[in-house]
Amino acid sequence: MDIFTAMTTRWSCRAYQDRPVEQETVREILDKARWAPSGVNSQPWQVAVVSGETQQRITDALIQARDEKIPENPDYDFYPAEWVDPYRARRINTGLSLYKALGITRDDPDGRKKAWYNNYRFFGAPVGLFVFIDRAMGKGSWLDAGMFIQNILLASLELGLATCPQASLAEYPDRVRAILDMPEDMQLVVGIALGYPDMEHPVNNYRLKREVVENFTRWYD
């Protein structure tokens, strides 16, 4: 299995071992990730690494917001306001595959709620990373941040860890910023669960179809 195929297996990890990740390991991952390219070497990313009590406070704050039915207020639109095909079909298939792997049926609202709230628990991962970008930066810097995040995923995989980049952890950025004492001008891009994967869990063994190269590429001479 090549590293890119392995990424589709383990960068969407949704079940983790009860095994700590040493701070020095996270530092090594970030040390490798920092070499991501960025326009004019701007390096626009900032990272907050959470574990233990701080991680639990964030989990509790996000679940409380959801329980109180507070509207999400992400710093940017991660998804479109209206889904169209083929993206809509892919989204639906992903959800169906996930719930099937978890053994959750359509008529099991409690099971679906539990699965969704597991997002806010970092899927049981012992470490969470939050990536921020200054509001002063332009759209190009978001591309830079994306490459930096990709490097985090690759570096983690190289060390035998698994990750899951989660838009759900950025649904209530004000709460996250407050807990981390992060300035308001730092936009929350994404949260990332990090830990050692539990590959015995069925949720880490379902696979999603990827389009072949011919379906998304045009060649010009």
Side-chain angles (χ1 to χ4, degrees):
M1 181 185 295
D2 65 79
I3 191 169
F4 293 103
T5 303
M7 282 170 59
T8 65
T9 306
R10 290 171 54 190
W11 78 347
S12 293
C13 180
R14 293 173 183 267
Y16 291 85
Q17 298 178 32
D18 183 17
R19 176 182 173 187
V21 178
E22 299 297 328
Q23 187 177 103
E24 191 54 40
T25 301
V26 180
R27 185 181 298 277
E28 181 178 351
I29 290 169
L30 295 174
D31 188 52
K32 293 179 178 181
R34 70 190 175 96
W35 293 99
S38 61
V40 297
N41 197 33
S42 58
Q43 305 172 67
W45 45 78
Q46 289 287 314
V47 181
V49 181
V50 301
S51 60
E53 181 182 343
T54 300
Q55 186 179 13
Q56 186 61 51
R57 286 178 61 200
I58 291 174
T59 290
D60 293 343
L62 298 179
I63 289 177
Q64 180 184 27
R66 179 63 66 176
D67 280 342
E68 293 177 356
K69 295 181 170 45
I70 295 175
E72 302 168 10
N73 64 329
D75 288 326
Y76 67 103
D77 294 327
F78 189 91
Y79 294 117
E82 182 177 350
W83 288 88
V84 297
D85 285 325
Y87 318 109
R88 176 178 176 275
R90 292 172 187 163
R91 178 194 183 201
I92 292 173
N93 181 63
T94 297
L96 292 174
S97 297
L98 172 61
Y99 285 127
K100 181 178 180 180
L102 289 169
I104 299 173
T105 60
R106 286 181 176 272
D107 56 354
D108 183 8
D110 291 338
R112 286 171 174 258
K113 178 179 178 180
K114 180 180 178 181
W116 182 252
Y117 276 38
N118 206 25
N119 281 275
Y120 306 130
R121 298 185 177 96
F122 299 80
F123 300 114
V127 174
L129 292 82
F130 288 92
V131 179
F132 295 85
I133 187 169
D134 197 308
R135 293 184 191 275
M137 303 306 289
K139 290 183 179 179
S141 291
W142 286 76
L143 297 177
D144 301 336
M147 289 183 278
F148 172 71
I149 292 165
Q150 176 93 329
N151 273 11
I152 290 176
L153 309 185
L154 287 168
S156 300
L157 183 63
E158 183 181 39
L159 295 176
L161 290 101
T163 53
C164 186
Q166 299 175 242
S168 54
L169 293 174
E171 289 174 349
Y172 300 98
D174 293 344
R175 297 201 171 205
V176 175
R177 274 191 290 267
I179 292 172
L180 299 178
D181 195 25
M182 188 70 66
E184 174 62 28
D185 59 4
M186 298 305 294
Q187 299 175 99
L188 177 52
V189 180
V190 72
I192 304 172
L194 173 68
Y196 292 96
D198 177 5
M199 296 311 296
E200 298 301 316
H201 197 291
V203 76
N204 286 337
N205 290 288
Y206 81 98
R207 300 292 178 268
L208 296 172
K209 179 183 177 182
R210 295 298 178 115
E211 294 294 323
V212 297
V213 172
E214 289 74 17
N215 286 357
F216 60 81
T217 307
R218 298 183 183 185
W219 302 90
Y220 299 87
D221 291 327

